[in-house]
Amino acid sequence: MIQDPIQSAVTVGVVALTILATRALPFLLFPGNRETPRLIVYLGRVLPSAIIGMLIVYCLKGVSLLSSPHGIPEALAIFFVAAVHHWKHNLILSIGGGTVLYMFLVQAVFV
């Protein structure tokens, strides 16, 4: 769909306002001179692990252990991500490297 200049300007404006609102809202809701609510602190502690767990389940939902390649590329990529992250504590390196390894395995090794 091709947009005319007015539609493009409105789209850019809406996106810019949305980004500004999501960036400013936490500072407005939780100013630095007040203590952060316990619920928010709790969610900040438990949600990262819960989200990672959900992502793992989502990524592995279509893997069949009964048919070739029996989940081997996925298992190798998961092991790589865990090992590199444990070793270097670098999210970009571990996730990026795991993605590159997985794509190499499914496109070149387990064809």
Side-chain angles (χ1 to χ4, degrees):
M1 179 172 93
I2 298 174
Q3 295 183 339
D4 63 39
I6 294 174
Q7 289 174 324
S8 296
V10 169
T11 301
V12 169
V14 168
V15 169
L17 286 174
T18 303
I19 291 172
L20 178 66
T22 57
R23 301 288 285 173
L25 195 60
F27 295 102
L28 296 174
L29 292 176
F30 311 113
N33 59 356
R34 285 191 357 215
E35 184 177 337
T36 305
R38 286 180 31 210
L39 176 65
I40 302 301
V41 172
Y42 170 75
L43 290 175
R45 194 174 68 248
V46 299
L47 279 182
S49 299
I51 291 169
I52 293 297
M54 284 179 26
L55 284 172
I56 290 170
V57 169
Y58 177 77
C59 290
L60 297 178
K61 71 178 170 45
V63 175
S64 174
L65 299 177
L66 302 176
S67 63
S68 183
H70 308 291
I72 295 170
E74 290 84 1
L76 291 173
I78 289 170
F79 176 76
F80 177 87
V81 169
V84 169
H85 189 68
H86 181 72
W87 175 44
K88 288 289 188 179
H89 298 282
N90 185 328
L91 287 174
I92 300 294
L93 182 62
S94 58
I95 294 172
T99 302
V100 169
L101 174 65
Y102 175 74
M103 294 309 293
F104 173 75
L105 290 173
V106 297
Q107 293 181 9
V109 178
F110 296 97
V111 183

XYZ file of all heavy atoms in Angstrom:
845
model
N 0.838 -1.173 0.000
C 0.000 0.000 0.000
C 0.891 1.247 0.000
O 1.768 1.394 0.847
C -0.889 -0.016 1.250
C -1.782 1.185 1.343
S -2.966 1.055 2.679
C -2.081 1.882 3.967
N 0.645 2.124 -0.922
C 1.409 3.362 -1.033
C 0.667 4.468 -0.297
O -0.540 4.631 -0.457
C 1.621 3.741 -2.510
C 2.419 2.648 -3.208
C 2.306 5.085 -2.629
C 2.571 2.850 -4.689
N 1.400 5.202 0.525
C 0.801 6.293 1.288
C 1.159 7.626 0.645
O 2.257 7.796 0.118
C 1.319 6.283 2.724
C 0.908 5.073 3.520
C 1.403 5.162 4.956
O 2.330 5.885 5.254
N 0.751 4.426 5.834
N 0.217 8.557 0.732
C 0.540 9.903 0.265
C 1.334 10.611 1.367
O 1.459 10.103 2.477
C -0.725 10.676 -0.139
C -1.690 10.901 1.017
O -1.227 11.174 2.135
O -2.915 10.824 0.796
N 1.900 11.774 1.075
C 2.756 12.453 2.072
C 2.049 12.755 3.394
O 2.680 12.673 4.457
C 3.174 13.740 1.364
C 3.086 13.420 -0.093
C 1.959 12.452 -0.227
N 0.775 13.067 3.378
C 0.051 13.364 4.626
C -0.074 12.105 5.476
O 0.169 12.133 6.688
C -1.327 13.982 4.325
C -1.136 15.356 3.678
C -2.182 14.080 5.583
C -2.407 16.010 3.211
N -0.412 10.989 4.847
C -0.517 9.735 5.586
C 0.841 9.331 6.159
O 0.928 8.841 7.286
C -1.051 8.625 4.675
C -2.510 8.782 4.309
C -2.945 7.743 3.289
O -2.183 7.374 2.406
N -4.180 7.283 3.428
N 1.888 9.533 5.395
C 3.235 9.218 5.885
C 3.597 10.087 7.081
O 4.157 9.598 8.064
C 4.267 9.418 4.775
O 4.036 8.520 3.723
N 3.277 11.373 7.010
C 3.577 12.288 8.125
C 2.786 11.907 9.366
O 3.323 11.922 10.487
C 3.275 13.727 7.722
N 1.516 11.541 9.196
C 0.695 11.111 10.329
C 1.268 9.832 10.932
O 1.363 9.687 12.158
C -0.777 10.929 9.902
C -1.578 10.229 10.988
C -1.401 12.265 9.547
N 1.677 8.896 10.090
C 2.261 7.638 10.584
C 3.525 7.908 11.385
O 3.704 7.382 12.491
C 2.573 6.694 9.404
O 1.373 6.422 8.691
C 3.193 5.402 9.889
N 4.406 8.745 10.853
C 5.646 9.079 11.564
C 5.328 9.794 12.873
O 5.951 9.521 13.911
C 6.571 9.935 10.662
C 7.724 10.510 11.461
C 7.087 9.107 9.500
N 4.356 10.697 12.857
C 3.967 11.405 14.078
C 3.422 10.473 15.144
O 3.776 10.595 16.325
N 2.563 9.532 14.754
C 1.992 8.582 15.720
C 3.093 7.702 16.305
O 3.137 7.458 17.519
C 0.884 7.739 15.054
C 0.487 6.564 15.928
C -0.328 8.601 14.737
N 3.984 7.230 15.459
C 5.093 6.398 15.943
C 5.980 7.194 16.893
O 6.368 6.703 17.965
C 5.900 5.825 14.754
C 7.190 5.182 15.224
C 5.073 4.827 13.972
N 6.299 8.430 16.542
C 7.145 9.264 17.397
C 6.480 9.539 18.741
O 7.132 9.448 19.793
C 7.467 10.581 16.689
N 5.190 9.853 18.746
C 4.478 10.098 20.008
C 4.398 8.834 20.864
O 4.529 8.898 22.090
C 3.074 10.639 19.733
C 3.013 12.091 19.269
C 1.584 12.471 18.887
C 3.537 13.010 20.353
N 4.183 7.700 20.220
C 4.130 6.438 20.964
C 5.468 6.135 21.620
O 5.527 5.743 22.788
C 3.724 5.289 20.020
O 2.462 5.607 19.420
C 3.614 3.979 20.765
N 6.550 6.314 20.878
C 7.885 6.077 21.441
C 8.156 7.052 22.583
O 8.650 6.654 23.651
C 8.956 6.180 20.341
C 8.822 5.005 19.385
C 10.354 6.234 20.950
C 9.695 5.105 18.157
N 7.826 8.307 22.387
C 8.031 9.307 23.440
C 7.229 8.945 24.688
O 7.747 9.018 25.815
C 7.631 10.692 22.935
C 7.748 11.830 23.950
C 9.204 12.061 24.316
C 7.125 13.101 23.407
N 5.979 8.537 24.506
C 5.130 8.190 25.650
C 5.675 6.978 26.400
O 5.728 6.973 27.635
C 3.700 7.927 25.185
N 6.098 5.947 25.666
C 6.599 4.752 26.349
C 7.942 5.002 27.025
O 8.272 4.334 27.998
C 6.719 3.558 25.380
O 7.572 3.914 24.289
C 5.362 3.143 24.868
N 8.714 5.942 26.512
C 9.985 6.272 27.152
C 9.790 7.167 28.369
O 10.530 7.079 29.341
C 10.923 6.967 26.154
C 11.254 6.150 24.926
C 12.165 5.028 25.218
N 13.504 5.540 25.413
C 14.517 4.812 25.819
N 14.350 3.546 26.066
N 15.683 5.342 25.986
N 8.798 8.058 28.336
C 8.595 9.017 29.421
C 7.695 8.479 30.525
O 7.822 8.893 31.684
C 7.996 10.308 28.866
N 6.794 7.566 30.208
C 5.807 7.092 31.175
C 6.419 6.523 32.459
O 5.954 6.854 33.555
C 4.880 6.070 30.513
C 3.600 5.749 31.247
C 2.749 7.005 31.434
C 2.811 4.704 30.486
N 7.460 5.684 32.391
C 8.035 5.174 33.646
C 8.555 6.281 34.565
O 8.427 6.181 35.784
C 9.178 4.270 33.174
C 8.816 3.874 31.802
C 8.067 5.029 31.233
N 9.126 7.337 33.988
C 9.639 8.435 34.808
C 8.500 9.240 35.435
O 8.654 9.788 36.517
C 10.540 9.343 33.973
C 11.781 8.651 33.498
C 11.879 8.205 32.192
C 12.839 8.425 34.357
C 13.018 7.552 31.755
C 13.985 7.780 33.940
C 14.077 7.342 32.621
N 7.369 9.305 34.756
C 6.217 10.007 35.317
C 5.530 9.179 36.400
O 5.088 9.704 37.419
C 5.213 10.349 34.208
C 5.716 11.321 33.139
C 4.687 11.450 32.022
C 6.012 12.668 33.752
N 5.424 7.861 36.181
C 4.761 6.997 37.158
C 5.617 6.722 38.389
O 5.087 6.573 39.491
C 4.378 5.662 36.497
C 3.298 5.715 35.427
C 3.111 4.344 34.801
C 1.991 6.223 36.004
N 6.930 6.619 38.185
C 7.835 6.270 39.281
C 8.970 7.282 39.360
O 10.101 7.003 38.971
C 8.406 4.860 39.083
C 7.365 3.829 38.783
C 7.308 3.217 37.541
C 6.424 3.478 39.736
C 6.349 2.271 37.261
C 5.459 2.532 39.459
C 5.421 1.932 38.223
N 8.708 8.468 39.883
C 9.771 9.481 39.969
C 10.883 9.027 40.915
O 10.682 8.190 41.794
C 9.051 10.717 40.498
C 7.797 10.224 41.113
C 7.446 8.938 40.433
N 12.058 9.578 40.713
C 13.231 9.174 41.482
C 13.152 9.461 42.964
O 13.833 8.821 43.759
N 12.303 10.404 43.371
C 12.235 10.745 44.796
C 11.280 9.854 45.581
O 11.174 9.990 46.785
C 11.853 12.221 44.969
C 10.508 12.540 44.332
O 9.886 11.690 43.706
N 10.082 13.772 44.478
N 10.581 8.918 44.897
C 9.687 7.984 45.583
C 10.214 6.567 45.443
O 10.881 6.231 44.477
C 8.278 8.047 44.970
C 7.523 9.281 45.364
C 6.047 9.257 44.988
N 5.611 8.082 44.262
C 4.690 8.091 43.313
N 4.124 9.219 42.969
N 4.321 6.976 42.707
N 9.870 5.740 46.414
C 10.283 4.339 46.363
C 9.447 3.587 45.318
O 8.245 3.801 45.205
C 10.083 3.693 47.744
C 10.581 2.271 47.810
C 10.429 1.681 49.194
O 10.356 2.450 50.171
O 10.365 0.448 49.283
N 10.100 2.726 44.555
C 9.402 1.934 43.547
C 8.497 0.927 44.252
O 8.924 0.267 45.197
C 10.414 1.191 42.658
O 11.328 2.143 42.106
C 9.731 0.454 41.532
N 7.236 0.793 43.783
C 6.321 -0.167 44.422
C 6.886 -1.582 44.411
O 7.587 -1.985 43.479
C 5.055 -0.072 43.565
C 5.133 1.265 42.910
C 6.589 1.539 42.720
N 6.558 -2.339 45.472
C 7.087 -3.699 45.619
C 6.672 -4.584 44.459
O 7.441 -5.455 44.027
C 6.630 -4.299 46.940
C 7.364 -3.693 48.116
C 6.970 -4.249 49.467
N 6.555 -5.629 49.455
C 5.680 -6.159 50.299
N 5.144 -5.391 51.237
N 5.358 -7.422 50.246
N 5.462 -4.408 43.945
C 4.997 -5.221 42.819
C 5.883 -5.011 41.589
O 6.243 -5.974 40.900
C 3.540 -4.887 42.479
C 2.978 -5.602 41.246
C 2.920 -7.102 41.486
C 1.614 -5.062 40.880
N 6.248 -3.793 41.323
C 7.094 -3.491 40.165
C 8.490 -4.088 40.347
O 9.066 -4.646 39.408
C 7.172 -1.971 39.921
C 5.778 -1.380 39.693
C 8.101 -1.646 38.770
C 5.031 -1.958 38.523
N 9.026 -4.004 41.549
C 10.332 -4.601 41.828
C 10.262 -6.112 41.649
O 11.145 -6.732 41.033
C 10.810 -4.230 43.258
C 12.068 -4.987 43.634
C 11.020 -2.732 43.366
N 9.188 -6.724 42.154
C 8.993 -8.176 42.012
C 8.903 -8.559 40.534
O 9.559 -9.502 40.089
C 7.737 -8.609 42.765
C 7.330 -10.029 42.481
C 8.032 -11.094 43.041
C 6.249 -10.309 41.652
C 7.670 -12.396 42.772
C 5.876 -11.603 41.389
C 6.585 -12.652 41.944
O 6.229 -13.936 41.667
N 8.078 -7.840 39.773
C 7.934 -8.143 38.348
C 9.254 -7.967 37.611
O 9.584 -8.755 36.718
C 6.857 -7.261 37.723
C 5.425 -7.561 38.155
C 4.473 -6.546 37.553
C 5.027 -8.973 37.773
N 10.020 -6.963 37.973
C 11.325 -6.759 37.361
C 12.289 -7.893 37.663
O 13.204 -8.161 36.883
N 12.076 -8.573 38.778
C 12.944 -9.690 39.149
C 12.514 -10.991 38.477
O 13.359 -11.791 38.069
C 12.957 -9.843 40.667
C 14.059 -10.730 41.182
C 14.146 -10.759 42.695
N 12.984 -11.409 43.285
C 12.052 -10.796 44.012
N 12.154 -9.507 44.244
N 11.029 -11.456 44.505
N 11.211 -11.249 38.331
C 10.757 -12.549 37.842
C 10.405 -12.585 36.363
O 10.468 -13.646 35.742
C 9.556 -13.076 38.657
C 9.931 -13.269 40.109
C 8.346 -12.199 38.513
N 10.022 -11.458 35.766
C 9.586 -11.478 34.375
C 10.681 -11.850 33.372
O 10.382 -12.565 32.408
C 8.940 -10.147 33.992
C 7.488 -9.995 34.410
C 6.938 -8.659 33.948
C 6.626 -11.114 33.885
N 11.920 -11.405 33.520
C 12.920 -11.819 32.523
C 13.043 -13.338 32.402
O 13.069 -13.867 31.289
C 14.215 -11.185 33.039
C 13.750 -9.973 33.772
C 12.464 -10.396 34.440
N 13.076 -14.043 33.514
C 13.171 -15.508 33.455
C 11.912 -16.120 32.860
O 11.978 -17.075 32.075
C 13.401 -16.080 34.854
O 14.597 -15.580 35.379
N 10.756 -15.581 33.218
C 9.502 -16.100 32.675
C 9.418 -15.883 31.171
O 8.970 -16.765 30.428
C 8.315 -15.434 33.368
N 9.876 -14.733 30.707
C 9.836 -14.445 29.273
C 10.793 -15.347 28.511
O 10.465 -15.860 27.439
C 10.130 -12.952 29.030
C 8.966 -12.122 29.550
C 10.386 -12.665 27.561
C 9.224 -10.638 29.610
N 11.974 -15.578 29.062
C 12.925 -16.487 28.419
C 12.329 -17.888 28.345
O 12.434 -18.566 27.318
C 14.280 -16.502 29.169
C 14.971 -15.146 29.047
C 15.186 -17.613 28.667
C 15.348 -14.756 27.643
N 11.695 -18.338 29.415
C 11.036 -19.649 29.400
C 9.953 -19.738 28.333
O 9.853 -20.737 27.614
N 9.142 -18.689 28.214
C 8.105 -18.676 27.182
C 8.715 -18.691 25.785
O 8.207 -19.367 24.881
C 7.212 -17.444 27.346
C 6.236 -17.574 28.477
S 5.170 -16.140 28.756
C 5.055 -15.320 27.221
N 9.798 -17.957 25.574
C 10.452 -17.951 24.269
C 11.014 -19.322 23.913
O 10.938 -19.751 22.765
C 11.568 -16.908 24.242
C 11.127 -15.461 24.110
C 12.315 -14.528 24.302
C 10.466 -15.213 22.775
N 11.573 -20.015 24.891
C 12.105 -21.354 24.632
C 10.983 -22.295 24.239
O 11.093 -23.039 23.259
C 12.885 -21.879 25.859
C 14.175 -21.078 26.020
C 13.182 -23.366 25.729
C 14.906 -21.339 27.312
N 9.879 -22.258 24.974
C 8.737 -23.117 24.642
C 8.209 -22.774 23.255
O 7.929 -23.659 22.438
C 7.627 -22.976 25.711
C 6.337 -23.628 25.265
C 8.097 -23.575 27.026
N 8.083 -21.480 22.949
C 7.582 -21.061 21.641
C 8.510 -21.526 20.516
O 8.054 -22.003 19.483
C 7.443 -19.534 21.605
C 6.999 -19.023 20.266
C 5.667 -19.132 19.864
C 7.905 -18.449 19.383
C 5.255 -18.685 18.621
C 7.503 -17.990 18.145
C 6.178 -18.109 17.770
O 5.776 -17.662 16.537
N 9.806 -21.400 20.722
C 10.754 -21.795 19.682
C 10.812 -23.304 19.475
O 11.118 -23.767 18.374
C 12.154 -21.280 20.018
S 12.301 -19.491 19.880
N 10.524 -24.059 20.503
C 10.624 -25.520 20.398
C 9.285 -26.211 20.163
O 9.244 -27.428 20.058
C 11.278 -26.079 21.672
C 12.710 -25.624 21.914
C 13.224 -26.204 23.221
C 13.612 -26.014 20.762
N 8.199 -25.461 20.030
C 6.881 -26.078 19.906
C 6.719 -26.898 18.632
O 5.964 -27.857 18.616
C 5.782 -25.036 20.016
C 5.656 -24.103 18.835
C 4.503 -23.144 19.043
C 4.424 -22.041 18.060
N 4.579 -22.264 16.688
N 7.425 -26.570 17.583
C 7.280 -27.294 16.324
C 8.348 -28.343 16.084
O 8.374 -28.956 15.024
N 9.211 -28.570 17.043
C 10.302 -29.529 16.872
C 9.772 -30.938 17.092
O 9.130 -31.230 18.096
C 11.452 -29.221 17.858
C 12.530 -30.287 17.779
C 12.026 -27.854 17.585
N 10.052 -31.810 16.136
C 9.650 -33.208 16.258
C 10.877 -34.054 16.569
O 11.827 -34.101 15.788
C 9.003 -33.690 14.956
O 8.753 -35.068 15.031
N 10.823 -34.726 17.706
C 11.935 -35.597 18.088
C 11.876 -36.929 17.354
O 12.848 -37.685 17.359
C 11.933 -35.821 19.596
C 12.103 -34.565 20.453
C 11.997 -34.918 21.928
C 13.405 -33.860 20.154
N 10.734 -37.229 16.720
C 10.554 -38.507 16.044
C 10.964 -38.483 14.577
O 11.136 -39.528 13.970
C 9.091 -38.952 16.159
C 8.573 -39.106 17.601
C 7.099 -39.442 17.601
C 9.383 -40.141 18.344
N 11.101 -37.297 13.999
C 11.499 -37.214 12.598
C 12.834 -36.488 12.486
O 13.213 -35.719 13.359
C 10.421 -36.501 11.775
O 10.270 -35.177 12.216
N 13.514 -36.764 11.386
C 14.831 -36.164 11.173
C 14.719 -34.649 11.116
O 13.774 -34.134 10.548
C 15.408 -36.708 9.866
O 16.692 -36.214 9.654
N 15.606 -33.903 11.676
C 16.871 -34.217 12.347
C 16.741 -34.429 13.858
O 17.718 -34.296 14.587
C 17.738 -33.023 12.029
C 16.788 -31.888 11.956
C 15.516 -32.465 11.405
N 15.541 -34.752 14.352
C 15.317 -35.139 15.744
C 15.647 -34.053 16.767
O 16.009 -34.347 17.903
C 16.092 -36.408 16.086
C 15.854 -37.535 15.128
N 14.645 -38.191 15.050
C 16.646 -38.076 14.178
C 14.715 -39.120 14.116
N 15.918 -39.065 13.566
N 15.576 -32.786 16.367
C 15.825 -31.684 17.298
C 17.289 -31.434 17.602
O 17.612 -30.668 18.511
N 18.173 -32.047 16.829
C 19.603 -31.887 17.090
C 20.072 -30.446 16.862
O 20.794 -29.906 17.706
C 20.431 -32.897 16.261
C 20.099 -34.322 16.722
C 21.927 -32.625 16.382
C 20.671 -35.407 15.839
N 19.677 -29.773 15.746
C 20.133 -28.378 15.586
C 19.656 -27.469 16.717
O 20.409 -26.620 17.204
C 19.530 -27.935 14.252
C 19.123 -29.172 13.557
C 18.902 -30.210 14.599
N 18.430 -27.671 17.150
C 17.899 -26.857 18.240
C 18.654 -27.112 19.531
O 19.002 -26.178 20.260
C 16.407 -27.148 18.423
C 15.529 -26.638 17.296
C 15.451 -27.580 16.102
O 16.073 -28.676 16.128
O 14.771 -27.213 15.126
N 18.913 -28.385 19.825
C 19.635 -28.729 21.056
C 21.051 -28.160 21.039
O 21.520 -27.621 22.051
C 19.674 -30.246 21.235
N 21.721 -28.249 19.897
C 23.079 -27.704 19.796
C 23.075 -26.188 19.963
O 23.949 -25.629 20.645
C 23.719 -28.089 18.461
C 24.070 -29.566 18.279
C 24.529 -29.835 16.852
C 25.126 -29.990 19.273
N 22.099 -25.519 19.353
C 22.028 -24.059 19.469
C 21.724 -23.642 20.907
O 22.303 -22.685 21.415
C 20.980 -23.506 18.511
N 20.820 -24.356 21.571
C 20.495 -24.040 22.971
C 21.727 -24.240 23.851
O 22.043 -23.400 24.699
C 19.317 -24.899 23.460
C 18.019 -24.439 22.790
C 19.178 -24.832 24.980
C 16.857 -25.370 23.024
N 22.434 -25.336 23.643
C 23.645 -25.592 24.425
C 24.677 -24.499 24.175
O 25.314 -24.003 25.112
C 24.229 -26.966 24.078
C 25.521 -27.248 24.784
C 25.526 -27.587 26.133
C 26.733 -27.129 24.123
C 26.722 -27.822 26.801
C 27.930 -27.358 24.777
C 27.926 -27.709 26.113
N 24.833 -24.101 22.910
C 25.791 -23.047 22.569
C 25.439 -21.743 23.267
O 26.295 -21.099 23.863
C 25.819 -22.848 21.042
C 26.724 -21.730 20.609
C 28.065 -21.970 20.376
C 26.242 -20.439 20.439
C 28.908 -20.941 19.977
C 27.076 -19.410 20.043
C 28.417 -19.665 19.815
N 24.166 -21.347 23.203
C 23.734 -20.092 23.829
C 24.003 -20.134 25.333
O 24.544 -19.186 25.912
C 22.246 -19.807 23.542
C 21.726 -18.666 24.396
C 22.044 -19.495 22.069
N 23.628 -21.241 25.977
C 23.825 -21.357 27.423
C 25.307 -21.339 27.782
O 25.720 -20.656 28.727
C 23.157 -22.632 27.936
N 26.121 -22.073 27.021
C 27.555 -22.151 27.332
C 28.251 -20.808 27.121
O 29.016 -20.353 27.977
C 28.215 -23.232 26.469
N 27.959 -20.148 26.002
C 28.612 -18.864 25.725
C 28.151 -17.808 26.719
O 28.947 -16.997 27.193
C 28.361 -18.427 24.262
C 28.806 -16.995 24.034
C 29.082 -19.360 23.307
N 26.865 -17.830 27.069
C 26.396 -16.835 28.025
C 26.996 -17.084 29.416
O 27.343 -16.136 30.123
C 24.876 -16.810 28.108
C 24.374 -15.656 28.908
N 24.490 -14.350 28.475
C 23.807 -15.588 30.123
C 23.997 -13.540 29.392
N 23.588 -14.270 30.405
N 27.123 -18.346 29.787
C 27.748 -18.663 31.078
C 29.219 -18.237 31.074
O 29.735 -17.770 32.088
C 27.620 -20.157 31.366
C 28.218 -20.569 32.669
N 27.653 -20.257 33.881
C 29.355 -21.250 32.954
C 28.402 -20.732 34.853
N 29.448 -21.338 34.309
N 29.869 -18.391 29.928
C 31.291 -18.079 29.802
C 31.535 -16.573 29.728
O 32.360 -16.023 30.452
C 31.824 -18.785 28.565
C 33.247 -18.484 28.193
C 34.331 -18.409 29.014
C 33.736 -18.236 26.871
N 35.463 -18.127 28.289
C 35.123 -18.025 26.960
C 33.138 -18.190 25.628
C 35.913 -17.760 25.850
C 33.925 -17.939 24.526
C 35.292 -17.722 24.653
N 30.812 -15.856 28.846
C 31.097 -14.450 28.579
C 30.102 -13.461 29.188
O 30.388 -12.275 29.252
C 31.143 -14.202 27.059
C 32.355 -14.767 26.382
C 33.563 -13.970 26.779
C 34.781 -14.394 25.972
N 35.947 -13.630 26.321
N 28.918 -13.909 29.570
C 27.860 -13.022 30.093
C 27.550 -11.871 29.121
O 27.398 -10.735 29.528
C 28.224 -12.460 31.468
C 28.375 -13.509 32.501
N 27.306 -14.109 33.106
C 29.479 -14.084 33.026
C 27.734 -14.999 33.972
N 29.053 -15.011 33.942
N 27.477 -12.203 27.842
C 27.227 -11.215 26.807
C 26.024 -11.674 25.986
O 26.108 -12.651 25.240
C 28.468 -11.065 25.924
C 28.320 -9.970 24.895
O 27.229 -9.697 24.411
N 29.436 -9.345 24.558
N 24.895 -10.959 26.134
C 23.670 -11.361 25.447
C 23.808 -11.325 23.932
O 23.333 -12.231 23.240
C 22.504 -10.462 25.879
C 21.972 -10.690 27.281
C 20.930 -9.646 27.626
C 21.385 -12.072 27.396
N 24.433 -10.289 23.411
C 24.580 -10.169 21.961
C 25.389 -11.336 21.410
O 25.015 -11.951 20.411
C 25.247 -8.826 21.583
C 24.420 -7.638 22.070
C 25.483 -8.740 20.082
C 23.086 -7.484 21.402
N 26.481 -11.643 22.067
C 27.345 -12.730 21.616
C 26.632 -14.078 21.725
O 26.663 -14.877 20.782
C 28.649 -12.742 22.422
C 29.677 -13.795 22.034
C 30.147 -13.576 20.603
C 30.855 -13.739 22.989
N 25.983 -14.341 22.843
C 25.367 -15.648 23.023
C 24.151 -15.839 22.119
O 24.041 -16.850 21.426
C 25.003 -15.874 24.488
O 24.144 -14.871 24.949
N 23.246 -14.870 22.084
C 22.043 -15.022 21.266
C 22.383 -14.910 19.781
O 21.909 -15.704 18.956
C 20.977 -13.994 21.675
C 20.507 -14.297 23.093
C 19.794 -14.016 20.715
C 19.590 -13.250 23.674
N 23.208 -13.932 19.426
C 23.601 -13.797 18.020
C 24.368 -15.005 17.524
O 24.115 -15.523 16.433
N 25.320 -15.470 18.327
C 26.090 -16.657 17.950
C 25.228 -17.899 17.850
O 25.394 -18.717 16.945
N 24.282 -18.050 18.775
C 23.365 -19.189 18.719
C 22.484 -19.149 17.489
O 22.217 -20.184 16.861
N 22.044 -17.954 17.114
C 21.224 -17.817 15.910
C 22.029 -18.167 14.665
O 21.553 -18.901 13.788
C 20.678 -16.379 15.800
O 19.914 -16.093 16.969
C 19.816 -16.211 14.566
N 23.252 -17.651 14.580
C 24.114 -17.963 13.432
C 24.401 -19.462 13.377
O 24.317 -20.083 12.299
C 25.423 -17.139 13.489
C 26.435 -17.628 12.468
C 25.118 -15.664 13.288
N 24.709 -20.066 14.514
C 24.976 -21.505 14.556
C 23.748 -22.291 14.106
O 23.851 -23.201 13.278
C 25.396 -21.945 15.957
C 25.556 -23.460 16.143
C 26.696 -23.986 15.282
C 25.760 -23.802 17.604
N 22.576 -21.945 14.628
C 21.351 -22.663 14.264
C 21.076 -22.540 12.765
O 20.763 -23.525 12.101
C 20.164 -22.135 15.066
C 18.862 -22.756 14.639
C 18.556 -24.064 14.981
C 17.951 -22.045 13.861
C 17.380 -24.656 14.576
C 16.774 -22.625 13.451
C 16.483 -23.920 13.812
O 15.308 -24.499 13.400
N 21.201 -21.328 12.212
C 20.929 -21.141 10.796
C 21.938 -21.920 9.947
O 21.576 -22.508 8.927
C 20.950 -19.645 10.437
C 19.844 -18.863 11.083
S 18.201 -19.557 10.867
C 17.982 -19.352 9.123
N 23.193 -21.960 10.361
C 24.197 -22.751 9.650
C 23.830 -24.228 9.695
O 23.899 -24.927 8.679
C 25.586 -22.522 10.255
C 26.627 -23.441 9.684
C 27.141 -23.231 8.416
C 27.083 -24.521 10.418
C 28.086 -24.087 7.882
C 28.035 -25.384 9.903
C 28.542 -25.162 8.628
N 23.438 -24.709 10.863
C 23.111 -26.135 11.000
C 21.920 -26.523 10.134
O 21.962 -27.558 9.457
C 22.830 -26.466 12.467
C 24.023 -26.431 13.406
C 23.582 -26.620 14.853
C 25.044 -27.487 13.024
N 20.855 -25.733 10.143
C 19.659 -26.137 9.377
C 19.805 -25.886 7.881
O 19.107 -26.521 7.092
C 18.366 -25.455 9.917
C 18.094 -25.873 11.336
C 18.427 -23.953 9.781
N 20.716 -24.997 7.473
C 20.853 -24.721 6.053
C 22.025 -25.444 5.390
O 22.018 -25.637 4.174
C 20.998 -23.209 5.818
C 19.743 -22.462 6.155
C 19.859 -20.973 5.898
O 20.824 -20.507 5.306
N 18.878 -20.219 6.357
N 23.026 -25.848 6.180
C 24.204 -26.471 5.576
C 24.461 -27.885 6.074
O 24.966 -28.718 5.310
C 25.434 -25.608 5.836
N 24.149 -28.179 7.313
C 24.507 -29.499 7.867
C 23.320 -30.454 7.814
O 23.424 -31.558 7.274
C 25.011 -29.345 9.320
C 25.326 -30.696 9.923
C 26.232 -28.430 9.358
N 22.174 -30.043 8.351
C 20.997 -30.914 8.409
C 20.007 -30.546 7.300
O 18.878 -30.197 7.558
C 20.318 -30.796 9.769
C 21.165 -31.280 10.900
C 21.907 -30.395 11.659
C 21.218 -32.622 11.198
C 22.695 -30.831 12.696
C 21.997 -33.074 12.252
C 22.737 -32.186 13.011
N 20.445 -30.666 6.053
C 19.603 -30.256 4.916
C 18.598 -31.331 4.596
O 18.801 -32.478 4.622
C 20.466 -29.945 3.687
C 19.602 -29.453 2.542
C 21.530 -28.941 4.034
